[in-house]
């Protein structure tokens, strides 16, 4: 008999940087695959997973510092 999960639905918030490649730029397909592989067993148990991915450093301008086309304000 399969283990009954404690929750039917969960929300997981992860930092956008956890999906970036070496150097912290862009989204790395290997990082995305690693996260998906971690979540697979939970989904296979029947749990509905909502994934929220942060992007605060982009929105706050850390990665856009010095770009003349995007102002921090």
């Amino acid at each position: 008999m399969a283990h009954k999960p404690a929750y039917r639905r969960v929300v997981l918030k992860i930092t956008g940087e956890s999906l970036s490649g070496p150097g912290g730029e862009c989204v790395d397909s290997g990082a995305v695959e690693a996260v998906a592989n971690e979540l697979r067993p939970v989904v296979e148990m029947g749990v509905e997973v909502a994934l929220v991915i942060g992007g605060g450093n982009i929105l706050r301008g850390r990665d856009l510092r010095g770009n003349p086309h995007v102002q921090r304000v």
Side-chain angles (χ1 to χ4, degrees):
M1 181 176 195
H3 176 72
K4 183 180 178 196
Y7 299 99
R8 234 176 39 144
R9 294 181 177 145
V10 296
V11 176
L12 177 64
K13 193 279 182 192
I14 63 173
T15 176
E17 289 181 343
S18 68
L19 300 180
S20 65
E25 295 182 16
C26 301
V27 175
D28 180 66
S29 61
V32 173
E33 185 174 355
V35 171
N37 287 335
E38 289 288 326
L39 295 176
R40 183 184 323 256
V42 177
V43 173
E44 288 174 349
M45 287 173 42
V47 177
E48 294 178 22
V49 178
L51 185 59
V52 178
I53 301 171
N57 288 329
I58 294 170
L59 293 176
R60 286 188 294 274
R62 185 201 76 180
D63 294 335
L64 301 174
R65 190 176 321 137
N67 185 322
H69 304 291
V70 181
Q71 297 178 5
R72 184 177 173 100
V73 294

